[in-house]
């Protein structure tokens, strides 16, 4: 059974942990949330002695050495740290985003503050970083739904006002097909393609929706084109069981294999073995897209958190991680805002998380919230306009970015007024709940190039600048370096 397998893995990990203390840190978030950039910045700062004042072990000078080592799991692709760093620092371009699961082991030698730890582990911690698409977590609820429930949920979600125009091509086709007709591969493929196109469209910037299962449709990993992904929900299903040889039977079987060969093993082999978890969210993008996107982000967070915390609304507890004792939800890309707004972003993110926690009825203890920028691409300044001092951020827009009709070539710096977040999160959520648009004044999200890394007087390259990355590290691993 799943429980037995998980229990066995846990025992094996515990035994290994006695010999070599290890912390398995999961890094997730929906696509483009900033996972690749976060991991690259984290590792770079630890390898190169970054400025991390709020990370106690670093601040007190107890970090002796950090280095990369071969990862423990041979069957998982390696996180391509070197490629990502080269692209970010040498080319000053953003790295390729996460498409599937990957792993990296960073070993940290430190001077323990306690003699006990020093005696047992020699002050050495292996940090195993596991990067995986947040989309895959959103599949957990599917395990509790049979094919007709899945079809019903997917169809009613597709008919909601913010989605209906995007879902139209798929829904029209799906409604025109009799589910009891003879199974046909061409039908299955076309329906799967139209359904995937619809999910993809929901993800686009203007809608910025988050709850889009099945997760592998948007992030197939190495399963692209396999039968387990060639299915789609069917509207208008009859109340009877699927006749043999029918399209309905074919779709049902594939949906069931999706759950048993894709979803379950992922949870069992990967999520169940994590010790700590960070979930990155792009709250600003959701706020810019409007009330529906914020509510959808909240719904997605509920689903994500129920993978890490058994709750009253969660019946699938045998696959829920029991090991993760700390979860950090981080609102990323805070360098798009002036520092006065960092705390406001954090307050709004905290509310979104509180609401998600309340919905699923889990214990919110040890779920922390932070606003951060893993890589700070901007610096702050003020400009004088009409006798007033206005806060701005300065950066180099990516080649091809347009601001107010002006096209940038990737070599020129510019200052922009980033926009403000509401001082009071209450007013923000009143606007969300009362469906008023817009919920915040537009935040100006310009895509800047990664920063130029300066050299110190002695010619040493400094590490990547960030905002509050040190606080994230302290929360996620500070206690393990004590
Ligand atoms: P992933 O899909 O979660 O792996 O997302 P990435 O890490 O690839 O990030 C997606 C994009 O978001 C990047 O290409 C950057 O444009 C942007 N981004 C991510 N993190 C930061 C950050 O800390 N600061 C800024 N300015 N942009 C970021």
């Amino acid at each position: 059974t799943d429980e037995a397998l998980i229990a066995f893995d846990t025992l094996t990990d515990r035994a290994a942990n006695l010999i070599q203390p290890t912390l398995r840190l999961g890094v997730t978030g929906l696509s483009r949330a900033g996972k690749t950039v976060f991991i690259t910045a984290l590792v770079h700062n630890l390898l190169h002695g970054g400025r991390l004042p709020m990370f106690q072990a670093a601040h007190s000078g107890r970090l002796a050495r950090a280095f990369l080592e071969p990862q423990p799991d041979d069957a998982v692709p390696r996180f391509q740290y070197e490629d990502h760093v080269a692209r970010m620092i040498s080319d000053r371009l953003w790295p390729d985003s996460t498409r599937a699961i990957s792993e990296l082991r960073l070993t940290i030698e430190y001077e323990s503050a306690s003699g006990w730890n020093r005696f047992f582990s020699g002050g050495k911690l292996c940090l195993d970083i596991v990067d995986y698409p947040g989309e895959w977590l959103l599949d957990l609820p599917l395990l509790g739904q049979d094919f007709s429930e899945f079809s019903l949920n997917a169809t009613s979600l597709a008919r909601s006002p913010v989605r209906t125009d995007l879902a139209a091509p798929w829904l029209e086709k799906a409604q025109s097909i009799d589910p009891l007709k003879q199974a046909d591969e061409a039908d299955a493929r076309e329906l799967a393609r139209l359904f995937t196109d619809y999910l993809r469209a929901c993800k686009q910037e203007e809608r910025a929706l988050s709850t889009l299962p099945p997760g592998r449709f948007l992030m197939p990993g190495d399963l692209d084109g396999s039968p387990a992904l060639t299915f789609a929900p069917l509207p208008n299903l009859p109340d009877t069981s699927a006749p043999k040889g029918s399209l309905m039977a074919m779709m049902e079987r594939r949906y069931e294999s999706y759950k048993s060969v894709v979803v379950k093993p992922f949870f069992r082999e990967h999520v169940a073995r994590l010790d700590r978890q960070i979930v990155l969210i792009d709250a600003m993008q959701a706020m810019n897209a409007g009330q529906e996107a914020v509510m959808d982000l909240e719904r997605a967070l509920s689903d994500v958190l129920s993978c890490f915390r058994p709750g009253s609304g969660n019946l699938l507890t045998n696959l829920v991680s029991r090991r993760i004792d700390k979860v950090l939800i981080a609102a990323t890309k805070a360098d798009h805002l002036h520092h006065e707004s960092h705390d406001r972003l954090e307050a709004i993110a905290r509310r979104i998380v509180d609401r998600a926690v309340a919905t699923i009825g889990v214990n919110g203890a040890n779920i922390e919230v932070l606003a951060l920028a893993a890589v700070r691409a901007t610096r702050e300044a003020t400009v004088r306009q009409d006798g007033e001092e206005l806060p701005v951020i300065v950066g180099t827009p990516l080649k091809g970015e347009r601001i107010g009709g002006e096209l940038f070539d990737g070599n020129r710096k510019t200052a922009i007024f980033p926009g403000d977040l509401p001082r009071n999160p209450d007013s923000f959520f009143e606007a969300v709940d009362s469906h008023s648009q817009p919920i915040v004044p537009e935040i100006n999200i310009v895509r800047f190039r990664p920063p130029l890394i300066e050299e110190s007087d002695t010619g040493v390259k400094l590490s990547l600048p960030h905002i509050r990355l040190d606080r994230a590290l302290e929360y996620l691993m500070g206690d393990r370096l004590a």
Side-chain angles (χ1 to χ4, degrees):
T1 66
D2 292 324
E3 281 124 293
L5 287 166
I6 292 174
F8 178 75
D9 281 343
T10 305
L11 270 182
T12 318
D13 288 346
R14 281 217 186 114
N17 204 30
L18 285 178
I19 302 163
Q20 175 49 63
T22 304
L23 186 70
R24 285 179 81 87
L25 170 66
V27 178
T28 198
L30 298 177
S31 77
R32 315 288 303 159
K35 299 178 289 294
T36 311
V37 172
F38 174 82
I39 297 172
T40 308
L42 180 160
V43 173
H44 193 267
N45 272 281
L46 287 176
L47 289 181
H48 299 279
R51 232 184 67 77
L52 303 164
M54 300 295 278
F55 182 36
Q56 283 306 324
H59 182 64
S60 56
R62 290 191 290 106
L63 290 188
R65 191 163 78 103
F67 52 97
L68 295 174
E69 276 195 296
Q71 67 196 51
D73 304 290
D74 290 332
V76 179
R78 181 173 181 276
F79 180 84
Q80 292 304 350
Y81 169 75
E82 294 79 5
D83 296 352
H84 298 324
V85 163
R87 198 163 153 81
M88 210 143 47
I89 294 185
S90 314
D91 307 342
R92 287 187 62 203
L93 293 171
W94 298 102
D96 290 337
S97 299
T98 301
R99 315 276 324 154
I101 189 165
S102 68
E103 186 180 81
L104 188 70
R105 169 169 281 194
L106 178 73
T107 299
I108 302 170
E109 286 174 358
Y110 63 99
E111 220 168 284
S112 175
S114 96
W116 179 264
N117 280 352
R118 215 168 19 233
F119 181 75
F120 277 103
S121 66
K124 188 167 138 185
L125 179 72
C126 291
L127 180 67
D128 288 335
I129 304 171
V130 182
D131 173 29
Y132 64 93
E135 282 79 357
W136 296 3
L137 288 176
L138 300 182
D139 279 339
L140 187 72
L142 299 188
L143 295 179
Q145 298 164 18
D146 65 16
F147 183 64
S148 14
E149 288 166 311
F150 162 67
S151 291
L152 206 64
N153 292 340
T155 313
S156 72
L157 202 58
R159 290 192 177 124
S160 65
V162 65
R163 296 175 181 233
T164 162
D165 58 326
L166 304 177
W170 163 67
L171 259 177
E172 266 162 39
K173 174 77 190 169
Q175 275 160 341
S176 75
I177 289 187
D178 176 8
L180 303 181
K181 76 178 279 241
Q182 172 114 36
D184 176 29
E185 186 63 37
D187 284 338
R189 279 186 32 197
E190 181 167 19
L191 287 170
R193 182 182 63 78
L194 289 169
F195 189 69
T196 310
D197 287 348
Y198 143 63
L199 295 180
R200 215 171 269 143
C202 291
K203 175 83 193 148
Q204 293 312 307
E205 212 162 297
E206 316 82 64
R207 299 291 164 97
L209 297 173
S210 305
T211 327
L212 307 164
R216 304 280 164 145
F217 280 45
L218 291 182
M219 281 285 148
D222 53 4
L223 289 170
D224 210 1
S226 67
L229 293 198
T230 314
F231 70 92
L234 291 171
N236 318 324
L237 284 180
D239 246 351
T240 55
S241 63
K244 223 169 162 212
S246 64
L247 181 68
M248 178 179 171
M250 179 192 209
M251 294 294 210
E252 195 171 83
R253 194 185 55 246
R254 289 182 177 183
Y255 171 75
E256 290 303 327
S257 13
Y258 179 75
K259 292 197 298 185
S260 60
V261 304
V262 179
V263 182
K264 276 194 183 180
F266 166 67
F267 276 91
R268 200 173 55 219
E269 289 161 22
H270 301 294
V271 181
R273 289 183 60 199
L274 299 173
D275 300 308
R276 300 267 157 97
Q277 178 67 54
I278 178 168
V279 181
L280 303 170
I281 57 171
D282 194 338
M284 276 180 287
Q285 196 198 22
M287 285 189 257
N288 261 5
Q291 175 253 344
E292 294 287 346
V294 173
M295 305 234 299
D296 211 53
L297 176 62
E298 195 179 302
R299 181 156 52 215
L301 263 180
S302 299
D303 286 349
V304 164
L305 288 173
S306 57
C307 299
F308 307 137
R309 291 278 179 275
S312 53
N314 189 346
L315 305 171
L316 310 154
T317 40
N318 64 338
L319 282 171
V320 170
S321 166
R322 306 200 163 268
R323 246 160 88 172
I324 294 177
D325 59 349
K326 283 181 169 194
V327 179
L328 180 62
I329 314 286
T332 53
K333 310 180 194 179
D335 58 327
H336 286 127
L337 295 168
H338 201 262
H339 73 262
E340 283 161 12
S341 282
H342 294 163
D343 287 337
R344 298 181 194 176
L345 176 62
E346 211 164 280
I348 289 174
R350 188 178 304 276
R351 282 298 183 84
I352 297 178
V353 172
D354 286 346
R355 287 157 57 110
V357 163
T359 314
I360 48 172
V362 299
N363 182 350
N366 291 329
I367 300 179
E368 194 51 69
V369 180
L370 202 59
L372 61 80
V375 172
R376 174 175 207 152
T378 64
R379 62 180 179 77
E380 296 185 343
T382 49
V383 293
R384 249 186 183 292
Q385 203 173 38
D386 305 329
E388 233 190 313
E389 295 264 315
L390 292 176
V392 292
I393 55 175
V394 180
T396 310
L398 283 175
K399 185 173 176 201
E401 280 287 290
R402 252 175 214 289
I403 307 170
E406 195 181 346
L407 183 65
F408 282 81
D409 64 358
N411 294 314
R412 196 154 46 85
K413 278 192 186 163
T414 191
I416 62 155
F417 180 66
D420 258 340
L421 291 179
R423 208 176 282 272
N424 174 1
D426 287 337
S427 64
F428 174 78
F429 285 98
E430 270 160 31
V432 169
D433 289 334
S434 68
H435 292 234
S436 58
Q437 297 270 10
I439 45 176
V440 286
E442 182 98 359
I443 310 158
N444 212 340
I445 302 183
V446 171
R447 298 206 307 141
F448 291 109
R449 291 183 69 178
L452 183 67
I453 305 295
E454 283 149 36
E455 282 182 15
S456 71
D457 300 340
T458 51
V460 182
K461 284 236 172 194
L462 301 178
S463 68
L464 287 160
H466 61 84
I467 297 169
R468 300 185 180 177
L469 179 66
D470 48 346
R471 296 193 203 187
L473 290 174
E474 180 62 27
Y475 179 72
L476 292 169
M477 55 191 283
D479 59 332
R480 297 294 304 267
L481 299 171

